[in-house]
Amino acid sequence: LQLDEIYEDSEYVHLVTELCTGGELFDKIVEKSSTGRGCFSEDEAARILYQLLESVLYLHKNDVVHRDIKPENIMFETSDEDSNIKLIDFGLARKHKQSDAPMSTIVGTPYYLAPCVLNKSYDRSVDLWSVGVIAYILLCGYPPFNGANNKEVYASVQKGLFYFPSAEWGHVSHAAKDFVIR
């Protein structure tokens, strides 16, 4: 997301960014998965994931780790069907060089956390884990790791077991499943 201006008054720092009018990826997932016809097609998911990976590559080349990549932090520029996406909300992001000691603070949103975050020893690869979780959600409409509360979600993430039930995944290619697994 492009930062255009910064204003500071006696109480706040105001960040002025470009306007994204297409809404959150989260809302599109909810909308598409509520139809009963699955979620995004593989082509649609691939287009979104390609742009997301380009964003992550840019961040990592600049030694920035986002640490909270999730559908709520991905906006569409416009409401057009083929709109580009923008990664937003860098409130948990931090500078981290590959040569730095591992990070240890547990931050992020439970469904998208990598197990190493919960183990308090992680690096920039946590952003790629989150992209994999998003890939899973884009293709079926629900997260691979779930639970009734954060503790149960954390336990599910720690186990790292997920499945491709044929009802939602029967039409998905082996290549797409392989992408999620990797």
Side-chain angles (χ1 to χ4, degrees), residues 123-182:
D123 60 19
R124 64 185 62 198
S125 65
V126 298
D127 287 345
L128 295 176
W129 175 277
S130 300
V131 172
V133 172
I134 291 169
Y136 186 99
I137 294 169
L138 289 176
L139 293 167
C140 72
Y142 56 84
F145 310 108
N146 215 336
N149 54 47
N150 285 351
K151 184 177 179 181
E152 289 181 14
V153 173
Y154 291 157
S156 180
V157 167
Q158 289 281 42
K159 286 180 188 170
L161 299 175
F162 59 93
Y163 306 96
F164 298 115
S166 59
E168 295 88 1
W169 289 89
H171 68 284
V172 177
S173 72
H174 291 292
K177 292 175 191 172
D178 188 56
F179 178 85
V180 171
I181 290 168
R182 292 177 187 278

Side-chain angles (χ1 to χ4, degrees), residues 9 21 27 41 45 71 73 106-108 121 178:
D9 61 29
T21 60
D27 294 329
S41 71
N73 287 340
I106 297 177
V107 296
S121 180
D178 188 56

Side-chain angles (χ1 to χ4, degrees), residues 7-14:
Y7 299 100
E8 188 172 356
D9 61 29
S10 61
E11 293 184 53
Y12 302 101
V13 174
H14 304 272

Side-chain angles (χ1 to χ4, degrees), residues 46-114:
R47 189 182 58 76
I48 291 167
L49 291 166
Y50 178 82
Q51 292 178 66
L52 182 56
L53 286 168
E54 286 284 321
S55 298
V56 171
L57 177 63
Y58 177 82
L59 293 177
H60 291 183
K61 279 185 175 180
N62 288 281
D63 295 324
V64 174
V65 183
H66 190 282
R67 302 195 304 175
D68 198 23
I69 297 177
K70 59 185 178 179
E72 295 90 328
N73 287 340
I74 300 169
M75 299 287 294
F76 288 94
E77 281 186 313
T78 68
S79 57
D80 296 340
E81 197 64 32
D82 61 347
S83 173
N84 288 326
I85 62 162
K86 297 289 183 166
L87 183 59
I88 66 166
D89 192 352
F90 288 79
L92 297 177
R94 66 168 279 193
K95 291 287 265 184
H96 190 266
K97 295 180 182 174
Q98 286 185 323
S99 59
D100 289 349
M103 292 173 274
S104 60
T105 306
I106 297 177
V107 296
T109 303
Y111 293 108
Y112 309 95
L113 287 181

